Amino acid sequence: RTLDRQPMPPGRPRDLPKAAWIGYPGDYEIWLGNQVQNRRTERGAFFPPFWKLDNHYVLVDFRKSFDLPGPEYIQFQFQGRHNIKLDGKINLDFGTLYLQPGHHTIEIKVFNESSPPALYAAGTYVISDTSWQVTIEDKEWIDASGKASDKSGTVWQPAEPLPGDDPAHWRLATQPQAASRIERKKNGDLLLDFGKETFGYLHIHGGRGKGKGGYLITYGESREEALAINTSEVQDFVTFSDSGRIDTVLPMSRAFRYVRIMPIGTWVDSASMLYEYSPLAQRGSFRCSDTTINHIWDVAAYTFHLNTREFFLDGIKRDRWIWSGDAYQSYLMNYYLFFDSATVMRTLWALRGKDPVTSHINTIMDYSFYWFMGIYDYYRYTGDTAFIRAVYPRMVTLMSWVMQRRNKDGWLEGMPGDWLFIDWADGLTKKGELSFEQLLFVRSLETMTLCAGLADDPAGAGTYRREAAGLRTRLFTDFWDPRRQAFVYSRVDGQQDGKILRYTNMFSIFFGYLDEAQQDAVRKNVLLNDSIQKITTPYMQFYELEALCAMGEQEHVLKQMKDYWGGMLSLGATTFWEQYDPNEKGVQHYAMYGRPFGKSLCHAWGASPLYLLGKYYLGVRPLSPGYATYAVTPVLGGLKWMEGEVPTPHGNIKVYCSRTRIQVHAVTGEGTLQFKSKSRPVCKAAIRAVGNNLYELTLQNNNDYTIDYAAID
Amino acid sequence: RTLDRQPMPPGRPRDLPKAAWIGYPGDYEIWLGNQVQNRRTERGAFFPPFWKLDNHYVLVDFRKSFDLPGPEYIQFQFQGRHNIKLDGKINLDFGTLYLQPGHHTIEIKVFNESSPPALYAAGTYVISDTSWQVTIEDKEWIDASGKASDKSGTVWQPAEPLPGDDPAHWRLATQPQAASRIERKKNGDLLLDFGKETFGYLHIHGGRGKGKGGYLITYGESREEALAINTSEVQDFVTFSDSGRIDTVLPMSRAFRYVRIMPIGTWVDSASMLYEYSPLAQRGSFRCSDTTINHIWDVAAYTFHLNTREFFLDGIKRDRWIWSGDAYQSYLMNYYLFFDSATVMRTLWALRGKDPVTSHINTIMDYSFYWFMGIYDYYRYTGDTAFIRAVYPRMVTLMSWVMQRRNKDGWLEGMPGDWLFIDWADGLTKKGELSFEQLLFVRSLETMTLCAGLADDPAGAGTYRREAAGLRTRLFTDFWDPRRQAFVYSRVDGQQDGKILRYTNMFSIFFGYLDEAQQDAVRKNVLLNDSIQKITTPYMQFYELEALCAMGEQEHVLKQMKDYWGGMLSLGATTFWEQYDPNEKGVQHYAMYGRPFGKSLCHAWGASPLYLLGKYYLGVRPLSPGYATYAVTPVLGGLKWMEGEVPTPHGNIKVYCSRTRIQVHAVTGEGTLQFKSKSRPVCKAAIRAVGNNLYELTLQNNNDYTIDYAAID
C-alpha cells in the first residue's frame, strides 16, 4: 500500500486565492528577534542581548474543517517534519491531498527546532490563511481500544500569517549602491564614502592575493571612526581563504557612511555595497515654507527608514537590538510615515517573549510599561482587535508579574535586577518610588482595562479599571507637590523628595491627567522653566515637545526643532543621533558609553519630528480606534504654509494649510476639522462656529474640502 | 589589533584533569527528549507526542572565577555562536586563552537554536565542570558612561555536565548483529529472524537495481507482523535513488525480531543490523534454585535494557515516548540492575519540560504524581541532593499548578484536558474524586516536603507538610469504607461510590499508610479476594505484587510470577509484553488499541521481577538516602536457595541465602540484616535476637558475613 503513489498532480488551477505561510501567533517574531538581535558584534566579537531569549514552540498543530463544493487538490509545503491527518486518519505524505466534495477536517503537525514550524497550503478552495487554527498541545490521546479522547482541554487559536515565500530565510530587500567617493592610499588601503549614513553588505570587487592574508574592514559612521582601527565599533576581517573569489559580498550587513578596507598581503580593486532595506511605501509626507524644517523631515524619514527593519531597532550601528522604549516612539512615528502594522506587531511580540516572565522587558521597568502603551496606541491607530485578542494572554501574565512586585502602598520600587532607566541624564537617583514609573504603571493599567474588554475578559477589565482609577487618584496624593504645583521626582520612605524634573510632568500632560490649572502650572513651573534640568536626548525631547505641542506651543517647538535637529544638520549629520549636545565639539560628538565612537549617529528616537509635524502641525490623529472618527487640527506654529499626508487604514488624509486657506482630503470615516479664524471662514460645506474664534467642519468619506479663512497669530 | 593573532598553541599538557561538556541544567534533556520522542513513526508517517514540547534556552551565560597558581593555557570548544569575556573585557575569540597567574573571571555567552548551547574548556587548572555557573539572563547592562550595572538580580546555578564528546550528536553505542535465520522467497523477498526481539539500524547488503524502485521493509515483533504488510506497525520504504549504494544502513533505528524486505524492481543479497544499546554495566544479578524464575529474570533484564535508552522508554516498537508512569517503574528497576543515575535524571528533566505548566505530565494526572514520587525514590536510592536542588523550582511550579486545580474539598477531579489513566482496565469511570489520584497526590505532597527541606525552602516545607498531613488524614475520612475495611474507588458529589478496586488499596500498603489491622483487612478483602476485578497489565501487577511482598506474601507472588511471566515465556516471548491475557490465543496476543499488531511485545513495565526479586527476595533496600543505612531482609518465598547482587552508590551488596545459610557482602554504610530462624543462628559477628524468631545483625563496611541458621517454612 505504501507503493500506491498518488497520480501526478494535474496542471495547477489558475487564479488560486493567495495563500500565506502560517504559524503559531507570536512565535515567528520571537525566533526572528533572536536572529536579528544576535547580529550585533562589537569589534568582531559576537554580542548577544543580556536578557532572556525565548524561542518558538517546536511542535505546532494546524487544523481546518471545511465543506468542499467540488473535488479539491491541495499542494502543501512545510517548514519542519510533519504529518497530515485527513478526517481523523494519518495520511501517507506526498505533499498533496486529493479530496472528494463534502465535509473534511485536515490536521497537520509540524516539528521544527531551528525555525518556527510553518505550513503552506494551496488548493482551489482550501488555502493556508488565518482561518486555520493552531495549538501547541492537542492532548488527543486514545484509550486501549483505539478510541480518541475528547479534546475539550485544547486551546485552539487563529494561525498567524508569516512573511515571505520562505519564512525561515526571510530577508529584507537589497539593491546595489556605489560609493560616492573612493580614496586610494599609497599602501593600497581604500577609504569609501557613501555620501550619507547607509546600511548593507559590503561588496568587494577584484580581490586577489596569495597565501595567508585578507582584508581588515573598519566601518565608520564618521570618517574619523572608519580610520580609527583601534577604536571603531564595527569591524570585519575577511581571510583570503574565506573569500577566495574575486568578488565577495560580506555575510553580515553593517551600518556606515565610511568604510576603510585594509588589504593585508592582498589587493582590492574596488568596493561597493548592497543596500538593505525594508521595502515599505513612504505614505506620509510633509512640506512647508521653512527649508530647514523640510530638511529635518527628510533626514528624519531616512533615519527612521534605516531603523525600520525586521523590527523597529534602536540604532543600526551598535546594538541592533529591540528596545521597548525606543520602539514605542517608532510605533508612533510609523503611524505618520509608513503605517505598517506588520512591523509594529512583530516588534511587540518579539519584545514580550514567552512566559514565565522573569524580568522586565529589556530588564527595564519603564520599558515594560511602554510595551503596554504601545499596544494601546496600536489599537487606537489601527483598530485591529484580532491582534489584541492574540496578545492579551501575554499582557495578563506580564501585568500580573508586575503587580506582584508592588510595595505595601501599591507602588513599584526597583528590585534586584530591575533597571529604572527613564533617560540618559545626570543625577537621576533610582531610590524609592519614582513618580515617572508610577505614572506609566497607571497608564499601563488603563491599557489593560481597554484590552480586557476587547478580549472578552470583563472580570479582568473590572479589576484593572479599579486598580487604574485608584492609583491615578493616588498619583496626586503621593507625588503632586501642591505648593509648587508639579509632580516631584520621587518618594522615599513615604516622603516626597522635593526634586522636580520634567519627565513625570510632561507625560501627565499628553496623558490628559491634568486639569487646566495644573497644566498651566506645569507649563510655567517646569516645561518653560530654564532652571529645571534640561533634556539632552532626542528620546525625551520627543515627549517634551509633544507635551508642549499638546498645550499649543507649536511656535516654541518649531524653534526648538530648528535649533536641536537643525544643529545636527549644520554639523553635517545625514541621519539623526542618539544624543546631541550643542556644547560639544568635533569628535566629542561621537563618544558615548566611555568609548570614542560609542554613540550611534543613526538612532530611531532621533526621528520624532515625523510624529510631531504630522500629529501637531498637520494635526491629524484618530479619535476612535482605526480612524473611524478622527481630528484634523492644523496649526502653523509660525510657518507660512505647510502641506502633507497622513496615512490611515482607509487611505491618506491630505492637508494643506496657509494663513488664508485650508484644504483637506478626507477618508472613509468621519473627521472633524478644527481651526481658529479671525473672520468667519468660507467653505462649500457647513462650518460650525464653536466660540472663541474656533470653527469646526465635519469631514466626510473621500471628499475634498477647501476653506478660506484668516489665521490668528 | 584584530591581526594580533595569539601564538600557536603549545603541546597540550599531559594528564589534564577530565573536562566535560557543560550546559544549562535540564535543557539538554528536554532537547534530547524532542529528538528521541519524535523518532516515532506509524506506518511511515511521522508521529510526534500530543503534549506540549518545550525546548532549550537558546542563549546561556557561563562563568567561573578562580585563582591561578601559575600561567594557564585554556582551549575551548563551543556548540553555538559565542563570545568570551576575560576579567570583564570581551576577548577576540581564537578558541584559546593564555592567562597570567592570579585572580581571573571568565564569562562566556553561547547562543544556539538547533541544539543546547554547550561549552568545553580544557586547561591545566581550569576545566569545564559543575564548578562553573550558568544563567539565562545575566542582566548586565551599562550606563551612558560605560559603567556596568550590579548583577544582584541574576540567578546563577551550577552547570550541568552533558554526555559524550559531541553532545549535539550524542548517540548510543552500536555493534553489528547478524540474523539467526534468513528465508528467501521465490519473488526475491527476504525474511530475517534475529532470534529474539532486538533494536537497531537495518543494514542492507548487496542492493542493486535499475531505474525506479526500492525496498519496502516491514518490521515485526512477531513473524506474523513482519508478513502483514497492510497492518504491521513499523515500515520503511527506501527508494533506490535514496540508497544508491550497494550497502545501506537505514537512518532510523527500529524494534523488531523479524524483518521482511520486499525489493521492488531491485535485488537484495542479504541484510543484517547494527544493534543499538545504552552501554551500561549490568551491576545487579539474580540466580536461584528455580530455572523458570532465572529465565524470567534474564528476559526481564534484557527487556529492561532494550527500553533503557537515552531515556527510560515505555516500549521500543511503537511509542518510543517517555511516559512518566512507565518511567517511574523503570527508575525502580534501574536501582536493582544498572543503578544508572544519569538515565533517571535525564528522564525526569525531559518529562517535566519547562514553565509555564499547561497540562499534567503526558497530560495524565497520575503521571504528574509519579514524577514527584520518582524524585522521592531517586533521593532515597542515591542521596543526590544536588539534583534535588536543581529540579526543585520545577517541582514547585508543577505542584502549584496542581494545587490550583483542587475542588472545594481540596481533592482533584478531572478537568478538561486531564487524562485520568490509572490502568488499562475495563470499567474505570473517571467521574468525581478518584481515591487513587488523591492517594498519589498525598504522596507527592510528602515528596515536596522532603525536597523543600533539601532545597533550603523551610517555608515551603512547612506548607507542604501541613497539606500532606491534613489530606492524608482525610483520605480515610472520605475514601475508607469502615464497613468493608478498604478504600473505595471514588467519591461523587461527596458520596462514596461503593466500588472497591485494587489500585488505591495496594498502593496504600507499600506507602505505609495502613495500620496492621487495616493492612490485614485489605489483604483479605481486596488483594487475595478473587471477586475483586483482576489486574491484566504488568504495569499494575508491579504494584500488586509489591504490596503482597510488603506483607510477606513472597511465596504467593513467586507463583504469580511463574504463572504470568512464565506464561509469556511459554508462548515464546523473548521480551516481556505491554499486556498479557492467558485467555487469548495466537495472534490475539498481538492486538491492542484496535490494531492487529498494536501491542508492544517489549515493554519496560514488563520487567518488574527485577525489582521484586532484588527488593523483596534478596531483600536489599536503603533505609536512609543513598544507602547510608540499609536493610538486607532475605526471603526465599519457596525457593531452595538464591543469590544475587544489588548495586548501591558504594558498590554492590551481595546476598546468598539457602534454607541453612545466609552470606552477605556489605558495603560502606551501615546495613541491618534481618531474618527468621527456628534455631539460634551462628555467626562470627554479633547477632541480636529481637523476639518472635527474628534476628538482626549489623553489617559493617565491606565485610563479608556468613550465618548458619534454620529457615522457617
Side-chain angles (χ1 to χ4, degrees):
Chain A
R1 223 176 52 158
T2 319
L3 298 175
D4 296 344
R5 291 217 171 222
Q6 306 274 359
M8 290 299 290
R12 187 144 180 255
R14 289 164 191 236
D15 304 325
L16 283 183
K18 178 72 184 146
W21 281 93
I22 53 176
Y24 190 84
D27 259 21
Y28 182 78
E29 295 78 357
I30 289 170
W31 172 83
L32 186 66
N34 292 345
Q35 312 309 309
V36 169
Q37 297 184 95
N38 280 311
R39 288 185 195 144
R40 175 174 185 176
T41 59
E42 202 168 284
R43 298 186 54 71
F46 170 60
F47 199 109
F50 53 80
W51 50 81
K52 179 183 71 159
L53 293 188
D54 289 296
N55 205 357
H56 60 279
Y57 292 112
V58 293
L59 178 64
V60 174
D61 300 5
F62 300 80
R63 81 166 179 193
K64 186 177 167 72
S65 289
F66 49 86
D67 289 288
L68 284 180
E72 170 73 328
Y73 164 63
I74 309 174
Q75 286 181 297
F76 293 98
Q77 294 179 62
F78 306 94
Q79 296 199 324
R81 262 196 291 164
H82 57 274
N83 69 27
I84 303 179
K85 216 189 254 184
L86 173 63
D87 300 329
K89 269 194 82 155
I90 283 200
N91 207 277
L92 277 175
D93 169 33
F94 299 103
T96 56
L97 275 184
Y98 285 89
L99 302 179
Q100 295 306 310
H103 187 77
H104 296 285
T105 299
I106 296 178
E107 291 162 286
I108 291 174
K109 288 180 191 252
V110 185
F111 171 75
N112 193 339
E113 280 183 311
S114 55
S115 66
L119 168 67
Y120 184 90
T124 308
Y125 307 105
V126 177
I127 58 168
S128 49
D129 56 22
T130 56
S131 71
W132 287 67
Q133 293 182 299
V134 291
T135 185
I136 48 158
E137 41 185 3
D138 72 0
K139 298 184 181 176
E140 190 194 338
W141 62 82
I142 56 168
D143 68 15
S145 71
K147 198 175 135 257
S149 63
D150 65 38
K151 299 178 199 174
S152 50
T154 307
V155 180
W156 291 94
Q157 54 180 309
E160 178 188 75
L162 308 182
D165 296 331
D166 177 1
H169 302 97
W170 182 59
R171 288 283 177 277
L172 299 182
T174 55
Q175 61 186 37
Q177 205 173 77
S180 56
R181 187 154 174 272
I182 302 183
E183 286 175 54
R184 167 83 66 187
K185 305 263 172 109
K186 279 186 192 152
N187 60 3
D189 285 16
L190 284 185
L191 181 68
L192 294 88
D193 175 4
F194 287 86
K196 61 180 179 182
E197 174 97 15
T198 188
F199 189 92
Y201 303 89
L202 192 68
H203 188 166
I204 292 176
H205 305 279
R208 52 196 180 276
K210 273 185 186 164
K212 290 199 175 190
Y215 319 108
L216 173 64
I217 298 158
T218 51
Y219 299 91
E221 293 193 313
S222 61
R223 183 181 166 97
E224 290 86 344
E225 184 179 10
L227 294 174
I229 60 169
N230 287 324
T231 50
S232 72
E233 291 278 314
V234 183
Q235 303 191 338
D236 278 319
F237 186 75
V238 183
T239 59
F240 196 74
S241 56
D242 286 346
S243 64
R245 290 151 299 167
I246 295 301
D247 270 55
T248 306
V249 175
L250 266 62
M252 282 282 267
S253 53
R254 304 294 188 190
F256 52 87
R257 171 175 169 176
Y258 300 90
V259 183
R260 178 181 185 165
I261 304 174
M262 298 173 61
I264 317 276
T266 54
W267 176 261
V268 172
D269 283 346
S270 182
S272 64
M273 72 172 297
L274 279 180
Y275 174 62
E276 188 193 43
Y277 63 101
S278 182
L280 300 174
Q282 197 167 294
R283 292 177 56 192
S285 65
F286 187 85
R287 272 296 167 273
C288 68
S289 53
D290 186 306
T291 53
T292 304
I293 293 293
N294 290 341
H295 192 186
I296 289 171
W297 193 92
D298 288 344
V299 170
Y302 184 58
T303 302
F304 185 60
H305 196 179
L306 282 172
N307 284 291
T308 301
R309 313 199 63 79
E310 296 88 346
F311 305 94
F312 292 115
L313 301 188
D314 66 325
I316 55 174
K317 175 175 80 171
R318 199 189 54 229
D319 295 15
R320 305 170 65 166
W321 289 347
I322 313 171
W323 290 96
S324 181
D326 307 53
Y328 177 70
Q329 300 192 345
S330 292
Y331 310 145
L332 292 171
M333 298 178 217
N334 169 63
Y335 301 128
Y336 289 89
L337 189 66
F338 301 122
F339 209 92
D340 183 62
S341 296
T343 312
V344 180
M345 289 190 287
R346 279 200 297 272
T347 303
L348 286 165
W349 279 121
L351 279 169
R352 175 59 184 83
K354 289 257 166 97
D355 290 331
V357 179
T358 58
S359 86
H360 282 294
I361 288 180
N362 307 125
T363 74
I364 303 177
M365 188 189 284
D366 13 336
Y367 280 29
S368 289
F369 300 135
Y370 288 120
W371 184 78
F372 289 108
M373 290 159 54
I375 293 173
Y376 183 94
D377 290 337
Y378 176 76
Y379 181 63
R380 195 155 52 105
Y381 278 90
T382 67
D384 175 4
T385 49
F387 174 73
I388 305 300
R389 285 166 179 277
V391 81
Y392 181 68
R394 291 198 199 162
M395 298 177 72
V396 170
T397 42
L398 177 57
M399 184 50 85
S400 102
W401 183 83
V402 169
M403 304 273 273
Q404 282 163 16
R405 295 165 79 82
R406 295 192 291 173
N407 67 17
K408 63 177 173 38
D409 291 332
W411 296 125
L412 291 158
E413 299 182 58
M415 294 172 70
D418 293 355
W419 183 1
L420 311 182
F421 175 58
I422 305 179
D423 192 14
W424 291 133
D426 293 334
L428 297 190
T429 63
K430 307 296 167 70
K431 222 185 135 196
E433 301 152 348
L434 310 191
S435 64
F436 181 72
E437 302 289 352
Q438 318 313 323
L439 184 84
L440 299 196
F441 178 35
V442 172
R443 189 64 161 179
S444 300
L445 284 166
E446 291 175 347
T447 299
M448 289 306 299
T449 311
L450 170 79
C451 295
L454 297 170
D456 296 329
D457 178 13
T463 307
Y464 296 125
R465 184 175 297 111
R466 271 191 309 281
E467 291 279 2
L471 289 180
R472 186 162 152 180
T473 305
R474 288 193 34 234
L475 267 182
F476 288 86
T477 329
D478 291 356
F479 298 100
W480 183 260
D481 180 339
R483 191 176 55 80
R484 293 190 293 169
Q485 289 289 301
F487 283 113
V488 297
Y489 176 70
S490 68
R491 213 171 67 133
V492 179
D493 301 329
Q495 298 297 313
Q496 290 187 3
D497 69 340
K499 188 167 170 183
I500 288 177
L501 289 174
R502 291 169 191 263
Y503 308 108
T504 312
N505 289 293
M506 68 204 195
F507 273 68
S508 65
I509 288 167
F510 53 80
F511 282 179
Y513 286 3
L514 302 184
D515 63 29
E516 214 164 317
Q518 290 168 327
Q519 196 166 303
D520 279 347
V522 161
R523 182 208 316 250
K524 206 176 85 211
N525 303 338
V526 185
L527 293 192
L528 300 178
N529 178 352
D530 281 349
S531 73
I532 300 288
Q533 182 176 327
K534 287 218 173 107
I535 281 167
T536 64
T537 57
Y539 177 53
M540 278 291 144
Q541 287 262 1
F542 183 107
Y543 302 112
E544 185 178 29
L545 299 184
E546 167 150 37
L548 288 165
C549 287
M551 293 187 298
E553 298 283 350
Q554 272 81 347
E555 211 162 326
H556 175 86
V557 169
L558 200 76
K559 286 192 197 109
Q560 289 261 71
M561 268 198 248
K562 290 177 71 164
D563 265 16
Y564 190 84
W565 280 269
M568 286 188 256
L569 291 182
S570 66
L571 289 171
T574 60
T575 48
F576 291 125
W577 303 350
E578 184 175 16
Q579 195 173 27
Y580 166 57
D581 181 347
N583 302 315
E584 291 177 336
K585 296 260 176 288
V587 294
Q588 287 182 329
H589 286 298
Y590 307 143
M592 202 167 172
Y593 306 106
R595 307 196 299 264
F597 301 100
K599 190 180 291 166
S600 158
L601 299 189
C602 178
H603 223 67
W605 71 28
S608 56
L610 295 177
Y611 172 66
L612 297 171
L613 292 167
K615 185 171 178 188
Y616 292 103
Y617 292 76
L618 297 179
V620 177
R621 65 184 201 281
L623 294 178
S624 54
Y627 278 90
T629 61
Y630 58 91
V632 179
T633 317
V635 179
L636 282 166
L639 294 169
K640 292 197 178 66
W641 59 268
M642 64 182 175
E643 66 182 350
E645 302 192 28
V646 173
T648 81
H650 319 294
N652 278 7
I653 296 169
K654 295 174 199 166
V655 178
Y656 169 86
C657 179
S658 71
R659 298 186 57 79
T660 56
R661 175 167 284 191
I662 298 173
Q663 287 175 306
V664 179
H665 172 75
V667 294
T668 305
E670 187 178 286
T672 303
L673 174 68
Q674 200 180 58
F675 58 97
K676 285 191 171 184
S677 181
K678 269 190 277 204
S679 57
R680 172 91 203 168
V682 178
C683 177
K684 287 183 188 159
I687 292 187
R688 302 180 293 283
V690 291
N692 200 21
N693 290 330
L694 204 59
Y695 296 90
E696 277 186 6
L697 182 155
T698 298
L699 304 168
Q700 304 286 355
N701 303 347
N702 294 308
N703 289 336
D704 290 297
Y705 299 86
T706 301
I707 301 101
D708 290 309
Y709 83 119
I712 299 174
D713 281 329
Chain B
R1 224 175 51 156
T2 319
L3 297 175
D4 296 344
R5 291 216 171 223
Q6 306 274 1
M8 290 300 290
R12 188 150 180 249
R14 289 165 191 232
D15 304 326
L16 283 181
K18 179 72 184 147
W21 281 93
I22 54 175
Y24 190 84
D27 259 21
Y28 182 78
E29 296 78 357
I30 289 171
W31 171 83
L32 186 66
N34 291 346
Q35 313 308 309
V36 169
Q37 298 184 93
N38 280 311
R39 289 185 194 145
R40 176 174 184 175
T41 60
E42 202 168 284
R43 298 187 54 71
F46 171 59
F47 199 109
F50 52 80
W51 50 81
K52 180 183 71 157
L53 293 188
D54 289 296
N55 207 356
H56 59 280
Y57 293 111
V58 293
L59 178 64
V60 174
D61 301 5
F62 300 79
R63 80 165 180 193
K64 186 177 168 74
S65 289
F66 48 87
D67 290 287
L68 285 181
E72 170 73 329
Y73 163 63
I74 309 175
Q75 286 182 298
F76 293 98
Q77 294 180 61
F78 306 95
Q79 296 199 326
R81 262 196 291 163
H82 57 274
N83 69 27
I84 304 178
K85 217 189 252 183
L86 173 63
D87 300 328
K89 269 193 80 155
I90 284 200
N91 208 277
L92 278 174
D93 169 32
F94 299 103
T96 56
L97 276 184
Y98 286 88
L99 302 180
Q100 295 306 310
H103 187 76
H104 296 286
T105 299
I106 297 176
E107 291 162 287
I108 291 174
K109 289 181 190 250
V110 184
F111 171 74
N112 193 339
E113 280 182 310
S114 54
S115 66
L119 168 68
Y120 184 90
T124 308
Y125 306 106
V126 177
I127 58 169
S128 49
D129 56 21
T130 55
S131 72
W132 286 67
Q133 293 182 298
V134 291
T135 185
I136 49 159
E137 39 184 2
D138 71 1
K139 299 184 181 176
E140 191 194 337
W141 62 83
I142 56 167
D143 67 17
S145 71
K147 198 175 134 259
S149 62
D150 66 36
K151 299 180 201 173
S152 50
T154 306
V155 180
W156 292 94
Q157 54 180 310
E160 178 188 76
L162 308 182
D165 295 331
D166 175 2
H169 301 97
W170 182 58
R171 289 283 177 278
L172 299 182
T174 55
Q175 61 186 38
Q177 205 173 76
S180 55
R181 188 154 172 272
I182 302 184
E183 286 176 53
R184 167 84 67 186
K185 304 264 174 114
K186 277 184 193 157
N187 60 4
D189 285 16
L190 284 186
L191 181 68
L192 293 87
D193 175 4
F194 287 85
K196 61 180 179 182
E197 175 97 16
T198 188
F199 189 91
Y201 303 90
L202 192 67
H203 188 166
I204 293 176
H205 305 280
R208 52 196 181 275
K210 274 183 186 168
K212 291 200 175 189
Y215 319 108
L216 173 64
I217 298 159
T218 52
Y219 299 90
E221 292 193 314
S222 61
R223 183 181 166 98
E224 289 86 342
E225 184 180 11
L227 294 174
I229 61 168
N230 287 325
T231 50
S232 73
E233 291 278 314
V234 184
Q235 304 191 338
D236 278 319
F237 186 73
V238 182
T239 60
F240 196 72
S241 57
D242 285 346
S243 65
R245 293 151 299 168
I246 296 300
D247 269 55
T248 305
V249 175
L250 266 61
M252 282 282 268
S253 52
R254 305 294 188 190
F256 52 85
R257 172 174 169 175
Y258 299 90
V259 183
R260 179 180 183 167
I261 304 174
M262 298 174 60
I264 318 276
T266 54
W267 175 260
V268 171
D269 283 345
S270 182
S272 64
M273 72 172 296
L274 279 181
Y275 174 62
E276 188 193 43
Y277 63 101
S278 181
L280 300 174
Q282 197 166 296
R283 292 178 56 192
S285 65
F286 187 86
R287 272 295 168 274
C288 69
S289 52
D290 186 305
T291 54
T292 304
I293 293 292
N294 290 342
H295 192 187
I296 289 171
W297 193 92
D298 288 345
V299 170
Y302 183 58
T303 301
F304 185 60
H305 196 180
L306 282 171
N307 284 291
T308 301
R309 313 198 64 79
E310 295 89 346
F311 304 95
F312 292 116
L313 301 187
D314 66 325
I316 54 174
K317 175 175 78 170
R318 201 188 52 228
D319 295 14
R320 304 170 64 166
W321 289 349
I322 314 170
W323 291 95
S324 181
D326 307 53
Y328 177 69
Q329 300 192 346
S330 292
Y331 310 145
L332 292 171
M333 297 179 218
N334 169 63
Y335 300 127
Y336 289 90
L337 190 65
F338 301 121
F339 209 91
D340 182 63
S341 296
T343 312
V344 179
M345 289 190 286
R346 278 200 297 271
T347 303
L348 287 166
W349 279 121
L351 279 169
R352 175 59 184 84
K354 289 258 167 94
D355 290 330
V357 179
T358 59
S359 86
H360 282 293
I361 288 181
N362 308 124
T363 75
I364 304 177
M365 187 189 284
D366 13 336
Y367 280 29
S368 289
F369 300 135
Y370 287 121
W371 184 78
F372 289 109
M373 290 158 55
I375 293 172
Y376 184 94
D377 290 337
Y378 176 74
Y379 181 63
R380 196 156 51 106
Y381 279 90
T382 68
D384 175 3
T385 50
F387 174 73
I388 305 299
R389 285 167 178 275
V391 82
Y392 181 70
R394 292 200 199 159
M395 298 177 72
V396 170
T397 43
L398 177 57
M399 183 52 84
S400 103
W401 183 83
V402 168
M403 303 274 272
Q404 281 164 17
R405 296 166 78 83
R406 296 193 291 175
N407 68 17
K408 62 176 172 41
D409 292 332
W411 296 127
L412 291 158
E413 300 182 57
M415 293 172 71
D418 292 355
W419 182 1
L420 312 182
F421 174 58
I422 305 180
D423 193 15
W424 291 133
D426 293 334
L428 296 190
T429 64
K430 306 297 166 69
K431 222 185 135 197
E433 301 152 345
L434 309 191
S435 63
F436 182 72
E437 302 288 353
Q438 317 314 324
L439 183 84
L440 299 196
F441 178 36
V442 172
R443 190 64 161 178
S444 300
L445 284 166
E446 291 174 348
T447 299
M448 289 305 299
T449 312
L450 170 77
C451 295
L454 297 170
D456 295 329
D457 178 12
T463 308
Y464 296 126
R465 184 175 297 111
R466 273 192 307 281
E467 291 280 2
L471 289 179
R472 186 161 154 181
T473 305
R474 287 192 35 233
L475 267 182
F476 288 86
T477 329
D478 291 357
F479 298 100
W480 181 261
D481 180 339
R483 192 175 54 80
R484 292 188 294 168
Q485 289 289 301
F487 283 114
V488 296
Y489 175 70
S490 69
R491 211 171 69 132
V492 179
D493 300 328
Q495 297 297 314
Q496 289 188 3
D497 69 340
K499 189 168 170 182
I500 289 176
L501 289 174
R502 292 171 190 262
Y503 308 108
T504 313
N505 289 292
M506 68 205 195
F507 273 68
S508 65
I509 288 168
F510 53 79
F511 282 179
Y513 286 3
L514 303 183
D515 63 27
E516 214 165 318
Q518 290 167 329
Q519 194 167 306
D520 280 346
V522 161
R523 180 209 316 252
K524 207 176 83 208
N525 303 338
V526 185
L527 293 193
L528 301 178
N529 177 352
D530 281 349
S531 73
I532 300 288
Q533 182 176 325
K534 288 218 174 105
I535 281 166
T536 64
T537 56
Y539 177 54
M540 278 291 144
Q541 287 263 1
F542 182 108
Y543 302 112
E544 184 177 31
L545 300 184
E546 168 151 35
L548 288 165
C549 286
M551 293 187 297
E553 297 283 351
Q554 273 80 347
E555 210 162 325
H556 175 85
V557 169
L558 200 76
K559 285 191 197 111
Q560 289 260 70
M561 270 198 247
K562 290 178 71 165
D563 265 15
Y564 190 84
W565 280 268
M568 287 187 256
L569 291 183
S570 66
L571 290 171
T574 60
T575 48
F576 291 125
W577 304 351
E578 184 174 15
Q579 196 173 27
Y580 166 58
D581 181 347
N583 301 316
E584 290 178 336
K585 297 261 176 287
V587 294
Q588 288 180 329
H589 286 297
Y590 307 144
M592 204 167 169
Y593 306 105
R595 307 196 299 265
F597 301 100
K599 190 180 291 168
S600 159
L601 300 189
C602 177
H603 224 66
W605 71 28
S608 57
L610 295 176
Y611 171 67
L612 298 171
L613 292 168
K615 183 171 179 188
Y616 292 103
Y617 293 79
L618 296 179
V620 176
R621 64 184 203 282
L623 293 177
S624 54
Y627 278 91
T629 61
Y630 59 91
V632 179
T633 318
V635 178
L636 281 167
L639 295 169
K640 292 196 179 65
W641 60 268
M642 62 182 176
E643 65 181 353
E645 302 193 28
V646 173
T648 82
H650 320 295
N652 279 6
I653 295 169
K654 296 176 198 165
V655 178
Y656 168 86
C657 180
S658 71
R659 298 186 57 78
T660 55
R661 173 167 285 193
I662 298 173
Q663 288 175 305
V664 179
H665 172 74
V667 294
T668 305
E670 187 177 287
T672 303
L673 174 70
Q674 199 181 60
F675 59 97
K676 285 192 170 182
S677 181
K678 267 192 275 203
S679 56
R680 173 91 204 168
V682 178
C683 177
K684 285 184 190 159
I687 291 186
R688 300 180 295 282
V690 290
N692 200 20
N693 290 330
L694 204 59
Y695 295 91
E696 277 185 7
L697 181 154
T698 297
L699 304 168
Q700 305 286 356
N701 303 346
N702 294 308
N703 288 337
D704 289 298
Y705 299 87
T706 300
I707 300 101
D708 291 308
Y709 83 119
I712 298 174
D713 280 331

